[in-house]
Amino acid sequence: MKLQILVVLQFLLTFSFLECRSQIVVDDVGEGWKTKVDSSIAQIRQTDSAKYFLLLKYCSHIGYINDNVSTIEYPGTILLSTMDMKSNNINDISSAIVHESRHLYYSDIKTTLSDKNQEINCYLYELDYLFKIPNVDNYLINNCLKMIKFFSQI
């Protein structure tokens, strides 16, 4: 009986946590970008629950930036680059979200990592995610490896 009560309590606590989380607000600028971002978030949820929960914890808003690289605005905003969005590749968009969510995490905990080491760690985090996607595009993995090598040499 005590075990059943504990199981029910654990379920209720987990469920209430899931229901109390705020949703990520995704800007709708037309061109179907919001749908692509929503699909990318769903893919993260299905592929890696730990990365999904980190995303939910640290990201409250996803917008866009007219640039070649995605970035963050602390607190809580991921800005996806027009280059990432125009790729029309859900794997590309979801990996950018995963990468930038790790930067939000580092900003929130006020890490003492150097910018270089933070970037290396974010690419390693993204690479771990990419390895979990079936039939992932090799260019995404190769880009992470290239960037890890680049930041390791500066």
Side-chain angles (χ1 to χ4, degrees), residues 74-75 103-113 118:
Y74 183 76
H103 280 297
L104 286 175
Y105 162 76
Y106 284 132
S107 293
D108 192 70
I109 66 166
K110 311 224 184 316
T111 184
T112 57
L113 286 174
Q118 185 181 140

Side-chain angles (χ1 to χ4, degrees), residues 69-133:
V69 293
S70 296
T71 190
I72 64 166
E73 284 183 351
Y74 183 76
T77 296
I78 292 174
L79 296 173
L80 295 172
S81 73
T82 51
M83 189 169 99
D84 285 333
M85 293 307 301
K86 287 180 180 178
S87 75
N88 291 318
N89 183 326
I90 298 302
N91 293 340
D92 193 355
I93 297 166
S94 68
S95 65
I97 293 170
V98 164
H99 180 103
E100 298 305 330
S101 71
R102 191 65 166 182
H103 280 297
L104 286 175
Y105 162 76
Y106 284 132
S107 293
D108 192 70
I109 66 166
K110 311 224 184 316
T111 184
T112 57
L113 286 174
S114 67
D115 290 346
K116 172 183 111 166
N117 286 331
Q118 185 181 140
E119 213 48 70
I120 291 168
N121 281 304
C122 288
Y123 276 109
L124 288 169
Y125 187 75
E126 178 182 349
L127 188 61
D128 177 67
Y129 170 73
L130 288 170
F131 282 138
K132 295 175 182 174
I133 300 173

